[in-house]
């Protein structure tokens, strides 16, 4: 199975963590510190003019200093970028929004979606806040360990070879990347980026906001942060919305296979739509769509096709495909990209892969994919002794045939996570377990929003978690990844109502 950046760590994600700022010295954070709010600009990785003019007075950014290790303040501090959309009227509370990833910029999300977020009824009475987690977005230092040229070179490599020689080559490369990460980032910071640390950072942000409790809206991986925060600080929550649930108690291999099955279902839905259109690139039979797709992508393993002044590889074709499958609105782009590939033009598909990989038109990469791997590796437990990576490779091929390049041998390379320095652990507050099966009795009843055809965070997992924790639910009939505050009036009204008063209703809803 060719490498794809979307896959969780045990699927062999090859994106890894470039230059790093030195962690601050041994400074003491004043107990009465406040956030110095200012206009959002380049220092917060926000383009000049990105804030809509009518919201210029309500959107602001600032910095929060947090200890690198809450249990050892002598290790110094890190700086977190934060952003806020102030309530249109008197503020009755604060809603913290996490866009997921891990590695997505909360500041970038809040500013980029400011107009849509500010139009929500909850924004009239509540401040909306987002944070760039440690190492993410504009926060300092940054989780990067590869240069732009190294990222380009990596994308040109073949990571699907499952021969004995191929597996050894991949593992050797992964060892070099893991060492590069440790050398360029430094193990002191690299080992302290997991969600347990981020939950403690979030509570520090709460304190500096001057509020006794927050409401939290987590999308995708953000739901994992929500779980961790609820386990540690249940009495500091007013409401909790979990949109596109990641189950922190699920075995990582099982989660990977389930996600691959979700993307296969999304591919099948896309294929059914594609073959219904005359002259589509997947032919006219849905039951042969996988075969036709592999016929287009497979030859790229040895014969990449031109894509402007670059080339389209098989790995990039798969990454571009998966990127498009996250949202139904991108299906047209994928259909056109496959049509161009039929004509030996890889440009549109490379553009989709670039969007996933975070490569801009100037050839520079954003930090999200680097942070994704570092945080994912920090969060997930080490493999059991004697675990066979070839078994996961086999299960993935069965779950997602559209990604099976036919080169399975029963072997698989060791995950790069097993080659990184083991993560440090930030002790939870007494009795708290971020991966606990139970929902804390003193935390608010959460609201789970789940989409029936969500490829990345499957509906079945979300409903299982909702039943386990006694959550209210909103089922969204659709094929997109996450659903809150993206324009579905039914969903948004339910979430607005819940955030305003989480005790108002316990009924489940279908949109």
């Amino acid at each position: 199975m060719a490498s794809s950046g979307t896959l969780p760590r045990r699927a062999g994600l090859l994106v890894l963590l470039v230059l790093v700022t030195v962690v601050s010295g041994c400074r003491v954070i004043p107990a009465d510190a406040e956030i110095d709010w200012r206009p959002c600009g380049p220092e917060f990785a926000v383009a000049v003019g990105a804030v809509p003019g009518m919201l210029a007075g309500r959107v602001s950014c600032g910095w929060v200093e947090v200890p690198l290790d809450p249990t050892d303040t002598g290790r110094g501090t890190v700086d977190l970028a934060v952003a806020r959309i102030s309530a249109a009227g008197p503020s009755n509370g604060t809603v913290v929004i996490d866009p997921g990833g891990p590695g997505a910029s909360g500041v970038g999300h809040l500013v980029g979606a400011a107009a849509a977020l500010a139009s929500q009824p909850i924004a009239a009475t509540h401040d909306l806040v987002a944070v760039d987690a440690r190492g993410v977005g504009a926060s300092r230092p940054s989780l990067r360990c590869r240069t732009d040229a190294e990222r380009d070179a990596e994308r040109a490599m073949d990571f699907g070879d499952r021969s004995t020689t191929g597996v050894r080559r991949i593992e050797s490369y992964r060892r070099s990347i893991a060492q590069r990460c440790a050398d360029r980032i430094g193990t002191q910071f690299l080992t302290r980026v997991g969600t347990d640390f981020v939950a403690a950072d979030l509570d520090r942000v709460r304190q500096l906001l001057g509020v006794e409790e927050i409401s939290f809206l987590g999308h995708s991986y953000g739901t994992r942060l929500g779980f961790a925060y609820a386990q540690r600080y249940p009495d500091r929550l007013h409401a909790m919305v979990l949109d596109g649930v990641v189950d922190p108690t699920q075995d990582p291999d099982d989660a990977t296979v389930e996600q691959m099955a979700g993307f296969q279902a999304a591919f099948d839905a896309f294929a059914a739509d594609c073959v219904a259109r005359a002259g589509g690139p997947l032919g006219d039979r849905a039951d042969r769509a996988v075969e036709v797709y592999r016929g287009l992508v497979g030859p790229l393993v040895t014969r990449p096709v031109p894509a402007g002044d670059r080339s389209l590889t098989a790995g990039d074709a798969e990454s571009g495909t998966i990127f498009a499958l996250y949202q139904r609105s991108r299906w047209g782009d994928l259909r056109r990209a496959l049509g161009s590939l039929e004509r030996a033009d890889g440009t549109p598909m490379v553009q989709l892969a670039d969007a996933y990989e975070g490569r801009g038109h100037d050839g520079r990469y954003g930090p999200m994919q680097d942070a994704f791997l570092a945080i994912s590796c920090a969060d997930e437990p080490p493999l059991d002794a004697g675990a066979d990576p070839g078994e996961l490779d086999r299960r993935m091929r069965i779950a997602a045939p559209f990604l099976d390049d036919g080169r399975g041998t029963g072997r698989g390379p060791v995950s790069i996570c097993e080659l990184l320095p083991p993560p440090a652990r930030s002790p939870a507050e007494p009795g708290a377990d971020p991966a606990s099966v139970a929902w804390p009795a003193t935390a608010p009843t959460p609201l789970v929003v789940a989409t029936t055809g969500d490829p990345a965070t499957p509906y079945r997992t979300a409903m299982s978690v909702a039943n386990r924790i006694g959550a209210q639910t909103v089922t969204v009939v659709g094929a997109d990844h996450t659903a809150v505050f993206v324009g579905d009036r039914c969903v948004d009204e339910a979430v607005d109502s819940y955030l305003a008063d989480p005790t108002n209703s316990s009924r489940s809803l279908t949109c």
Side-chain angles (χ1 to χ4, degrees):
M1 204 168 220
S3 168
S4 172
T6 55
L7 309 183
R9 62 128 166 164
R10 291 195 180 160
L13 259 183
L14 297 170
V15 285
L16 225 212
L17 312 165
V18 198
L19 72 154
V20 147
T21 358
V22 176
V23 176
S24 310
C26 301
R27 289 181 287 176
V28 176
I29 303 172
D32 59 350
E34 295 181 351
I35 300 174
D36 178 19
W37 295 107
R38 64 191 77 173
C40 300
E43 67 176 309
F44 299 101
V46 174
V48 175
V51 176
M54 71 284 195
L55 294 175
R58 291 176 59 190
V59 179
S60 54
C61 290
W63 296 101
V64 169
E65 190 177 24
V66 298
L68 173 64
D69 191 327
T71 66
D72 184 358
T73 55
R75 290 185 180 274
T77 61
V78 296
D79 294 323
L80 309 181
V82 296
R84 178 181 65 182
I85 302 175
S86 298
S91 179
N92 294 332
T94 298
V95 180
V96 176
I97 301 174
D98 188 286
S105 167
V107 170
H109 172 72
L110 197 78
V111 173
L117 292 171
S119 70
Q120 297 297 328
I122 196 69
T125 56
H126 287 64
D127 296 331
L128 308 182
V129 172
V131 183
D132 280 353
R134 53 175 61 202
V136 170
S139 291
R140 305 175 298 220
S142 177
L143 284 170
R144 292 177 180 255
C145 75
R146 294 167 302 167
T147 66
D148 298 329
E150 288 167 346
R151 290 285 305 274
D152 277 343
E154 184 176 277
R155 287 172 61 183
M157 297 172 66
D158 175 18
F159 292 99
D161 185 353
R162 293 297 181 262
S163 68
T164 301
T165 300
V167 169
R168 287 175 179 168
R169 176 181 54 80
I170 294 167
E171 290 180 344
S172 176
Y173 178 76
R174 290 181 178 177
R175 288 189 182 91
S176 72
I177 294 298
Q179 187 62 54
R180 199 174 301 167
C181 279
D183 291 344
R184 292 180 176 176
I185 292 176
T187 57
Q188 180 171 241
F189 183 54
L190 182 59
T191 59
R192 290 174 173 82
V193 297
T195 299
D196 48 354
F197 286 95
V198 176
D201 292 345
L202 178 55
D203 200 57
R204 176 60 177 164
V205 172
R206 178 197 61 78
Q207 295 172 41
L208 295 181
L209 290 170
V211 296
E212 292 295 322
E213 60 182 16
I214 58 172
S215 294
F216 184 86
L217 165 58
H219 302 280
S220 194
Y221 157 81
T223 66
R224 181 165 186 151
L225 175 57
F227 273 103
Y229 191 84
Q231 291 292 337
R232 288 186 176 210
Y233 312 108
D235 298 328
R236 299 169 201 176
L237 276 172
H238 175 70
M240 172 73 70
V241 180
L242 305 171
D243 177 24
V245 174
V246 173
D247 184 353
T249 69
Q250 190 174 21
D251 175 82
D253 285 0
D254 292 343
T256 296
V257 173
E258 191 170 271
Q259 186 183 64
M260 289 301 93
F263 276 106
Q264 181 64 49
F267 178 86
D268 292 342
F270 161 74
D273 178 79
C274 189
V275 301
R277 302 168 185 269
L282 295 182
D284 56 5
R285 288 181 52 182
D287 62 343
R288 294 193 59 197
V290 168
E291 178 185 347
V292 174
Y293 175 80
R294 292 311 317 175
L296 290 170
V297 173
L300 299 175
V301 171
T302 55
R303 297 189 302 278
V305 301
D309 59 355
R310 298 162 64 196
S311 296
L312 174 69
T313 64
D316 270 357
E318 292 179 1
S319 293
T321 299
I322 292 178
F323 174 77
L325 293 178
Y326 269 94
Q327 306 290 337
R328 188 183 181 100
S329 61
R330 299 178 188 142
W331 286 7
D333 295 332
L334 178 56
R335 190 170 59 249
R336 287 184 287 275
L338 290 172
S340 293
L341 181 54
E342 275 189 306
R343 299 185 293 276
D345 176 10
T347 304
M349 189 66 86
V350 159
Q351 291 170 346
L352 287 175
D354 283 348
Y356 173 75
E357 297 287 349
R359 188 184 195 272
H361 296 300
D362 58 0
R364 300 180 64 183
Y365 286 85
M368 179 177 170
Q369 290 291 356
D370 297 350
F372 175 93
L373 185 59
I375 298 167
S376 296
C377 288
D379 280 352
E380 295 180 6
L383 291 171
D384 294 333
D388 178 13
E391 174 61 14
L392 176 60
D393 187 82
R394 184 191 67 81
R395 293 175 65 193
M396 288 171 58
R397 292 175 190 277
I398 294 172
F402 84 104
L403 293 175
D404 183 2
D405 61 9
R407 293 190 287 169
T409 62
R411 306 181 189 91
V414 171
S415 165
I416 196 168
C417 293
E418 307 303 317
L419 307 173
L420 289 169
R425 296 299 176 191
S426 176
E429 297 208 343
D433 177 7
S436 173
V437 171
W439 188 255
T442 56
T445 300
L447 175 66
V448 166
V449 180
T451 303
T452 55
D454 187 328
T457 50
Y459 179 76
R460 183 175 65 177
T461 295
M463 288 296 101
S464 175
V465 170
N467 290 334
R468 189 176 77 217
I469 64 179
Q472 302 177 43
T473 61
V474 174
T475 289
V476 185
V477 179
D480 291 348
H481 176 47
T482 71
V484 176
F485 295 161
V486 292
D488 187 316
R489 183 175 178 181
C490 174
V491 175
D492 293 350
E493 287 181 350
V495 172
D496 269 310
S497 176
Y498 167 82
L499 288 171
D501 182 2
T503 67
N504 186 42
S505 173
S506 60
R507 68 186 181 88
S508 295
L509 175 71
T510 297
C511 291

